[in-house]
C-alpha cells in the first residue's frame, strides 16, 4: 500500500481504491458457534476486519448490588488486540475509545434483548477485534448479535450495521481504514433491520441533512443484506448440530459427553 | 456451581484411576493439533493454534526500543498473555492475574532460554534495538493453555517477517527485509498429576481434578530449556525424569505441527 495516499486518490473513475462501487459492501463471512466455552459465539470477517464475539449468560449478577429485580443487565465489552492495527504495538486492555464503544454497544443490545424475561441476571457480551481495517464496531456488533442468538437469548431482531462516510465529496458505504482516516466524515450505524430502528448512531465530520438521509437509506439497505448472512450462519451451525445428533444415533458418539 | 466442580473432579479422578479419560484418549496422547499461520495481515507474524477445542491466537509486532543495559546487542522480547473473558466463564476483564502472568512467563522462558531468536541478524539503530512483542490471546479455554500458547508463539515467530527501518530510525510497516532468523525452536509439554497418574494435554475438566502440573520445555536439538511446577502435588525425581523423556517423545509431533 502506498504510504502517502490523499483523499482525492481514494476515488478513481467512479471506483474506490479497492475496486468497489460507492454502495458496495466488502466481502463478509459470518460464522456462528466458533468457541466452545461460551454460551454463544460468532466470528466475522469483514474485508480485512477479523472479529470474535462471545456471550455468557444469563448468569448471576456480579457485583451483586447491581441486581435489577425486573430485567437482565447487559455487560458489553469491546476491545482491540495489541497487534490488530497496522501501526505500532498498542497496549492491551480498554482505552477511552473502546470504553465509549462498549457503552453504545450495550445500549444496542438493551434495545433488542428481551431482558424482562431474565430478571436478576446478567448477560455478558464480549467483542474482540483481532484485525482492524475500519468499521470494527459495526463488525463487532454484527458478530455479537449472532453470538446472542447462538446463546439462545430471545431478541426482537438480529441487529447489524455498517458505516457510511463522505470521501472526496461522495457518500460511500462501508468505509475501510484508508477511507475512514482520510475521508471527511464517518457515520457508523446499527439497525434493527425488521423495523428500521436506528440503534447506534455515531458521527464525525460534516454532512448536510440531505446527505444524512441518504446515508441512512444506504446503510439500512446494506443491513438487509448483512442480516441474511447472519441468519445463514445460524442455520449452518444448527445443520452441523443436527448432523452430529444423527451420527450419535448410529452409536458413533465417541468424544461427546 | 461449586457442586458441579466437585462432581466433575470425582468423575475425572474415577476415570483416571481406571486408566481412562473422558474423550477416550490414552494418558500420553495429545488432542488434534491444528496450526494456521499468518491469519492476521496487519501484524508482522501470527498463528492460531487449536488443541482440541482450546484456541490460542498469537500476534507478533516489532518495535524499536532501548536495549537492556546488560544486553546492549540483544533484541528485547516481551511476551504478554490476555486471558480474555470470552474464553471461559471464570476469566474476568482487568489487569493480568497470576495464571496469565505465569503462562506468559513460562512461554517467555522457553523462547528466551532456548535462545531461539537470532538477534545478530536484526536491524537496529545507533541507540535502539528491535523489540519483539509476542501477544497471546486465549480465545477458548478448553484446557492445556500453556502448550497451546507455546505452540502459537513459536508458530507465529516462524511466520514473522522483519520490518525495515527508515533513515529517521522508524519502523516501516508492511515493508519487510525477510523472515525472522531463528536458531532453534522450543515447545512446552504440560502434564497434570491426577490421582497419582500423569496425564498429558489435560482438558479443562481434567485440570480441575489435578493435584499439580509439570510443564517442561524442550528444544528441537534435544535440550531441556524450561520447567515449571504448579499446584500442590510433589513430583519425585523418577517422575520428573520420566516426564522429560515423554516430553522429548511428544515434542516431535509438536515441532512437526508448527513447521
Amino acid at each position: 500500500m502506498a504510504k502517502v495516499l490523499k483523499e482525492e486518490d481514494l476515488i478513481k473513475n467512479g471506483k474506490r481504491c479497492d475496486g468497489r462501487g460507492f454502495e458496495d459492501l466488502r466481502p463478509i463471512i459470518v460464522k456462528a458457534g466458533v468457541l466452545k466455552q461460551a454460551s454463544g459465539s460468532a466470528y466475522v470477517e469483514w474485508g480485512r476486519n477479523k472479529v470474535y464475539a462471545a456471550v455468557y449468560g444469563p448468569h448471576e449478577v456480579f457485583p451483586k448490588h447491581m441486581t435489577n429485580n425486573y430485567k437482565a443487565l447487559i455487560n458489553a465489552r469491546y476491545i482491540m488486540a495489541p497487534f490488530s492495527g497496522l501501526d505500532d504495538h498498542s497496549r492491551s486492555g480498554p482505552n477511552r475509545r473502546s470504553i465509549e464503544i462498549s457503552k453504545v454497544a450495550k445500549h444496542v443490545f438493551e434495545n433488542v434483548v428481551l431482558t424482562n424475561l431474565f430478571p436478576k441476571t446478567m448477560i455478558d457480551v464480549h467483542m474482540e477485534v483481532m484485525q482492524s481495517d475500519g468499521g470494527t464496531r459495526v463488525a463487532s456488533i454484527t458478530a455479537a448479535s449472532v453470538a446472542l442468538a447462538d446463546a439462545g437469548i430471545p431478541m426482537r431482531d438480529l441487529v447489524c450495521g455498517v458505516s457510511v462516510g463522505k470521501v472526496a465529496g461522495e457518500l460511500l458505504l462501508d468505509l475501510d481504514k484508508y477511507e475512514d482516516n482520510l475521508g471527511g466524515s464517518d457515520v457508523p450505524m446499527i439497525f434493527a433491520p425488521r423495523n428500521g430502528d436506528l440503534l447506534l448512531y455515531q458521527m464525525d465530520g460534516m454532512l448536510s441533512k440531505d446527505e444524512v438521509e441518504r446515508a441512512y437509506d444506504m446503510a439500512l439497505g446494506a443491513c438487509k443484506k448483512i442480516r441474511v448472512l447472519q441468519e445463514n450462519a445460524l442455520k449452518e451451525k444448527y445443520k452441523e448440530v443436527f448432523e452430529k445428533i444423527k451420527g450419535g444415533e448410529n452409536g458413533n458418539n465417541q468424544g461427546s459427553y | 456451581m461449586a457442586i458441579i466442580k466437585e462432581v466433575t473432579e470425582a468423575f475425572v479422578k474415577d476415570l483416571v484411576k481406571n486408566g481412562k479419560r473422558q474423550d477416550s484418549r490414552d494418558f500420553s496422547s495429545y488432542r488434534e493439533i491444528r496450526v494456521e499461520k499468518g491469519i492476521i495481515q496487519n501484524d508482522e507474524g501470527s498463528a492460531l493454534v487449536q488443541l482440541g477445542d482450546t484456541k490460542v491466537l498469537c500476534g507478533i509486532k516489532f518495535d524499536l526500543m532501548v536495549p537492556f543495559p546488560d544486553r546492549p546487542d540483544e533484541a528485547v522480547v516481551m511476551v504478554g498473555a490476555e486471558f480474555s473473558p470470552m474464553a471461559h466463564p471464570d476469566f474476568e476483564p482487568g489487569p493480568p492475574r497470576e495464571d496469565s502472568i505465569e503462562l506468559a512467563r513460562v512461554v517467555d522462558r522457553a523462547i528466551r532460554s532456548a535462545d531461539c531468536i537470532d538477534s545478530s541478524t536484526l536491524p537496529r539503530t545507533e541507540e535502539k534495538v528491535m523489540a519483539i512483542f509476542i501477544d497471546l490471546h486465549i480465545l477458548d479455554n478448553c484446557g492445556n493453555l500453556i502448550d497451546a500458547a507455546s505452540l502459537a508463539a513459536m508458530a507465529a515467530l516462524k511466520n514473522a517477517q522483519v520490518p525495515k527501518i527508515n533513515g529517521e530510525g522508524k519502523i516501516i510497516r508492511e515493508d519487510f527485509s525477510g523472515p525472522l532468523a531463528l536458531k532453534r525452536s522450543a515447545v512446552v509439554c504440560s502434564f497434570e498429576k491426577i490421582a497419582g497418574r500423569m496425564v498429558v494435554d489435560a482438558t479443562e475438566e481434567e485440570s480441575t481434578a489435578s493435584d499439580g502440573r509439570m510443564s517442561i520445555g524442550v528444544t528441537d536439538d534435544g535440550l531441556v530449556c524450561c520447567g515449571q511446577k504448579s499446584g500442590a502435588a510433589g513430583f519425585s525425581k523418577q517422575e520428573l525424569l520420566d516426564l522429560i523423556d515423554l516430553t522429548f517423545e511428544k515434542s516431535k509431533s509438536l515441532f512437526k505441527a508448527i513447521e
Side-chain angles (χ1 to χ4, degrees):
Chain A
M1 266 289 174
K3 289 283 149 183
V4 275
L5 273 173
K6 288 203 199 82
E7 188 173 347
E8 309 84 83
D9 301 335
L10 292 173
I11 296 177
K12 290 245 165 77
N13 312 322
K15 291 265 177 209
R16 294 151 76 171
C17 55
D18 56 0
R20 278 187 290 159
F22 295 168
E23 298 204 20
D24 290 347
L25 285 164
R26 287 173 279 181
I28 301 173
I29 300 168
V30 185
K31 282 185 195 156
V34 292
L35 307 174
K36 198 168 178 224
Q37 285 288 359
S39 321
S41 59
Y43 172 68
V44 166
E45 242 180 75
W46 186 313
R48 275 166 67 114
N49 291 312
K50 295 182 182 189
V51 182
Y52 281 93
V55 168
Y56 282 88
H59 59 74
E60 255 180 82
V61 178
F62 184 80
K64 255 203 159 102
H65 67 86
M66 303 275 289
T67 308
N68 185 316
N69 286 335
Y70 301 99
K71 59 172 190 170
L73 299 176
I74 291 182
N75 167 32
R77 180 176 151 277
Y78 161 98
I79 225 156
M80 287 173 87
F83 47 80
S84 62
L86 249 184
D87 24 51
D88 291 353
H89 180 264
S90 58
R91 277 188 61 174
S92 62
N95 53 27
R96 293 171 66 83
R97 173 182 171 274
S98 68
I99 290 169
E100 186 207 343
I101 293 175
S102 301
K103 181 174 187 289
V104 290
K106 178 173 90 175
H107 297 164
V108 169
F109 302 126
E110 280 172 348
N111 180 289
V112 285
V113 174
L114 302 177
T115 49
N116 56 329
L117 296 182
F118 307 101
K120 302 182 189 180
T121 65
M122 185 172 206
I123 299 166
D124 293 326
V125 182
H126 302 292
M127 296 161 273
E128 300 209 354
V129 179
M130 293 297 132
Q131 177 157 277
S132 64
D133 186 30
T136 54
R137 83 196 68 181
V138 291
S140 300
I141 293 170
T142 300
S145 148
V146 175
L148 277 163
D150 182 37
I153 290 170
M155 291 185 286
R156 289 188 186 85
D157 201 352
L158 269 177
V159 299
C160 58
V162 66
S163 66
V164 176
K166 192 173 170 185
V167 178
E170 298 283 352
L171 278 187
L172 304 182
L173 182 78
D174 188 17
L175 302 187
D176 68 17
K177 184 180 146 72
Y178 292 100
E179 292 166 340
D180 186 2
N181 289 356
L182 300 170
S185 65
D186 173 27
V187 191
M189 283 172 268
I190 298 280
F191 292 95
R194 258 187 16 197
N195 59 8
D197 271 1
L198 187 57
L199 304 182
L200 177 147
Y201 180 78
Q202 295 184 296
M203 174 176 167
D204 62 63
M206 277 186 293
L207 293 179
S208 68
K209 187 186 163 198
D210 214 36
E211 285 169 330
V212 172
E213 190 183 342
R214 265 178 56 214
Y216 178 99
D217 291 340
M218 275 165 86
L220 183 57
C223 281
K224 300 213 159 123
K225 291 181 203 156
I226 300 166
R227 211 193 134 160
V228 175
L229 299 175
Q230 292 177 301
E231 278 171 23
N232 288 346
L234 287 160
K235 283 181 193 157
E236 200 56 41
K237 184 201 159 177
Y238 285 98
K239 217 192 269 169
E240 264 171 48
V241 172
F242 180 68
E243 294 293 324
K244 232 181 231 169
I245 295 168
K246 240 173 54 185
E249 277 171 2
N250 302 330
N252 183 21
N253 58 351
Q254 270 200 352
S256 59
Y257 40 86
Chain B
M1 288 311 269
I3 187 73
I4 295 179
K5 222 164 216 172
E6 264 176 54
V7 172
T8 314
E9 201 182 316
F11 171 62
V12 169
K13 280 197 169 150
D14 214 39
L15 278 177
V16 170
K17 273 182 206 152
N18 293 312
K20 288 183 193 158
R21 294 175 81 169
Q22 271 173 309
D23 47 10
S24 62
R25 274 183 292 155
D26 61 50
F27 286 177
S28 59
S29 295
Y30 268 85
R31 289 167 288 179
E32 191 194 349
I33 304 169
R34 273 166 295 170
V35 180
E36 284 173 73
K37 286 191 211 167
I39 65 157
I40 305 291
Q41 290 81 41
N42 280 355
D43 59 11
E44 277 93 40
S46 61
L48 175 69
V49 165
Q50 301 184 52
L51 207 50
D53 287 314
T54 294
K55 267 196 184 134
V56 178
L57 197 155
C58 177
I60 290 179
K61 275 267 181 197
F62 286 83
D63 248 325
L64 284 166
M65 241 190 192
V66 179
F68 291 120
D70 54 334
R71 288 160 191 236
D73 299 318
E74 256 179 51
V76 178
V77 176
M78 296 212 187
V79 182
E82 178 82 15
F83 277 34
S84 161
M86 173 182 276
H88 196 271
D90 290 347
F91 291 176
E92 280 161 25
R97 299 276 190 82
E98 54 179 31
D99 284 347
S100 82
I101 292 172
E102 182 194 32
L103 176 127
R105 288 180 58 86
V106 170
V107 173
D108 180 279
R109 279 215 295 281
I111 290 166
R112 197 184 297 272
S113 40
D115 198 15
C116 293
I117 294 158
D118 189 354
S119 295
S120 64
T121 61
L122 290 172
R124 60 170 298 170
T125 64
E126 192 98 348
E127 71 272 24
K128 286 179 175 173
V129 294
M130 276 289 184
I132 304 172
F133 288 92
I134 303 173
D135 281 290
L136 297 157
H137 264 244
I138 315 295
L139 298 176
D140 205 352
N141 170 20
C142 296
N144 199 11
L145 293 179
I146 292 187
D147 297 13
S150 85
L151 277 176
M154 208 60 232
L157 281 173
K158 281 174 181 279
N159 175 248
Q161 296 278 322
V162 181
K164 287 182 184 162
I165 298 176
N166 68 14
E168 296 158 24
K170 288 234 167 70
I171 284 183
I172 320 172
R173 303 280 165 197
E174 286 190 296
D175 194 4
F176 303 110
S177 58
L180 175 65
L182 296 173
K183 292 188 200 160
R184 56 179 73 80
S185 302
V187 292
V188 179
C189 290
S190 299
F191 306 88
E192 301 282 358
K193 194 172 188 177
I194 302 170
R197 306 277 301 262
M198 301 298 172
V199 172
V200 78
D201 186 28
T203 61
E204 199 257 337
E205 283 96 344
E206 284 170 337
S207 52
T208 59
S210 164
D211 302 314
R213 181 185 61 225
M214 179 66 81
S215 299
I216 295 166
V218 294
T219 64
D220 53 357
D221 49 5
L223 294 169
V224 180
C225 64
C226 118
Q228 176 86 346
K229 203 225 95 182
S230 202
F235 288 77
S236 71
K237 181 184 168 197
Q238 195 53 48
E239 279 174 337
L240 177 65
L241 296 178
D242 289 348
L243 288 184
I244 291 174
D245 285 339
L246 195 49
T247 303
F248 280 122
E249 190 196 318
K250 289 284 126 193
S251 66
K252 284 177 205 150
S253 61
L254 300 183
F255 285 122
K256 217 166 132 196
I258 53 171
E259 243 353 286

Coordinates of all heavy atoms in Angstrom, one line a residue, chain B residues 62-65 74-77 119 122-125 128-132 162-165 171:
Chain B
F62 N 6.7 -5.8 15.9 CA 8.1 -5.4 16.1 C 8.0 -3.9 16.5 O 7.2 -3.1 16.0 CB 9.0 -5.5 14.9 CG 9.4 -6.9 14.6 CD1 8.6 -7.8 13.9 CD2 10.6 -7.4 15.1 CE1 8.9 -9.1 13.7 CE2 11.0 -8.7 14.8 CZ 10.2 -9.6 14.1
D63 N 9.0 -3.5 17.3 CA 9.1 -2.1 17.7 C 10.6 -1.8 17.9 O 11.4 -2.7 18.0 CB 8.3 -1.8 18.9 CG 7.2 -0.9 18.7 OD1 7.3 0.0 17.8 OD2 6.1 -1.0 19.3
L64 N 10.9 -0.5 18.0 CA 12.3 -0.2 18.4 C 12.4 0.3 19.8 O 11.5 1.0 20.3 CB 12.9 0.9 17.5 CG 13.2 0.4 16.1 CD1 13.4 1.6 15.1 CD2 14.4 -0.4 16.1
M65 N 13.4 -0.2 20.5 CA 13.5 0.1 22.0 C 14.9 0.2 22.4 O 15.8 -0.4 21.8 CB 12.8 -1.1 22.7 CG 11.7 -0.7 23.5 SD 11.2 -2.1 24.5 CE 9.7 -1.6 25.1
E74 N 21.2 -7.3 22.3 CA 20.2 -8.4 22.1 C 18.8 -7.7 21.9 O 18.5 -6.7 22.5 CB 20.1 -9.2 23.4 CG 20.8 -10.6 23.1 CD 20.7 -11.5 24.3 OE1 19.6 -11.6 24.9 OE2 21.8 -12.0 24.7
A75 N 18.0 -8.3 21.0 CA 16.7 -7.9 20.8 C 15.9 -8.1 22.1 O 16.2 -9.0 22.9 CB 16.0 -8.7 19.7
V76 N 15.0 -7.1 22.3 CA 14.1 -7.2 23.5 C 12.9 -8.1 23.2 O 12.3 -7.9 22.1 CB 13.6 -5.8 24.0 CG1 12.7 -5.9 25.1 CG2 14.8 -4.9 24.2
V77 N 12.6 -9.1 24.0 CA 11.5 -10.0 23.7 C 10.5 -9.8 24.8 O 10.8 -9.8 26.0 CB 11.9 -11.5 23.6 CG1 10.7 -12.4 23.5 CG2 12.9 -11.7 22.5
S119 N 19.5 -12.5 17.3 CA 19.5 -11.0 17.4 C 20.4 -10.4 16.4 O 20.2 -9.3 15.9 CB 19.8 -10.5 18.8 OG 18.9 -10.9 19.7
L122 N 19.1 -9.0 13.1 CA 18.0 -8.0 13.2 C 18.6 -6.6 12.9 O 19.6 -6.3 13.4 CB 17.3 -8.0 14.5 CG 16.4 -9.3 14.7 CD1 15.9 -9.3 16.2 CD2 15.2 -9.3 13.8
P123 N 17.8 -5.7 12.2 CA 18.3 -4.4 12.0 C 18.2 -3.6 13.3 O 17.4 -4.0 14.2 CB 17.3 -3.8 11.0 CG 16.1 -4.6 11.1 CD 16.5 -6.0 11.5
R124 N 19.0 -2.5 13.5 CA 18.9 -1.7 14.7 C 19.4 -0.3 14.3 O 20.0 -0.1 13.3 CB 19.8 -2.3 15.8 CG 21.3 -2.4 15.5 CD 22.1 -2.7 16.7 NE 22.0 -1.6 17.7 CZ 22.4 -1.7 18.9 NH1 23.0 -2.8 19.3 NH2 22.3 -0.7 19.7
T125 N 19.1 0.6 15.2 CA 19.7 2.0 15.0 C 20.8 2.1 16.0 O 21.1 1.2 16.8 CB 18.6 3.1 15.3 OG1 18.2 3.0 16.7 CG2 17.4 2.9 14.4
K128 N 18.9 2.1 19.5 CA 17.8 1.2 19.8 C 18.0 -0.1 19.1 O 18.6 -0.2 18.0 CB 16.5 1.9 19.3 CG 16.0 3.0 20.3 CD 14.8 3.6 19.8 CE 14.3 4.6 20.8 NZ 13.1 5.4 20.3
V129 N 17.4 -1.1 19.7 CA 17.4 -2.5 19.1 C 15.9 -2.9 18.8 O 15.0 -2.2 19.3 CB 18.0 -3.5 20.0 CG1 19.5 -3.3 20.2 CG2 17.3 -3.6 21.3
M130 N 15.7 -4.0 18.1 CA 14.4 -4.4 17.8 C 13.8 -5.0 19.1 O 14.4 -5.7 19.9 CB 14.4 -5.6 16.8 CG 14.5 -5.1 15.4 SD 12.9 -4.3 14.9 CE 13.2 -4.0 13.2
A131 N 12.5 -4.7 19.3 CA 11.7 -5.3 20.4 C 10.7 -6.2 19.7 O 10.0 -5.7 18.8 CB 11.1 -4.2 21.3
I132 N 10.5 -7.4 20.2 CA 9.6 -8.3 19.6 C 8.5 -8.5 20.6 O 8.7 -9.1 21.7 CB 10.2 -9.6 19.2 CG1 11.4 -9.4 18.3 CG2 9.2 -10.6 18.6 CD1 12.2 -10.6 18.0
V162 N 10.6 -9.6 9.3 CA 11.3 -8.5 10.0 C 11.0 -7.2 9.2 O 11.4 -7.1 8.0 CB 12.8 -8.7 10.1 CG1 13.4 -7.6 10.8 CG2 13.0 -10.0 10.8
P163 N 10.5 -6.1 9.8 CA 10.2 -4.9 9.0 C 11.5 -4.1 8.9 O 12.5 -4.3 9.6 CB 9.3 -4.1 9.9 CG 9.5 -4.7 11.3 CD 10.0 -6.1 11.2
K164 N 11.6 -3.3 7.8 CA 12.7 -2.4 7.6 C 12.7 -1.2 8.5 O 11.6 -0.8 8.9 CB 12.8 -2.0 6.1 CG 13.2 -3.2 5.2 CD 13.2 -2.7 3.8 CE 13.5 -3.8 2.9 NZ 13.2 -3.5 1.5
I165 N 13.9 -0.6 8.6 CA 13.9 0.7 9.4 C 14.3 1.8 8.4 O 15.2 1.6 7.6 CB 15.0 0.6 10.5 CG1 14.6 -0.5 11.5 CG2 15.1 1.9 11.2 CD1 15.6 -0.7 12.6
I171 N 10.3 2.3 12.2 CA 9.9 1.1 11.5 C 9.0 1.4 10.4 O 8.1 2.2 10.5 CB 9.3 0.1 12.5 CG1 10.4 -0.5 13.4 CG2 8.5 -0.9 11.8 CD1 9.9 -1.5 14.3

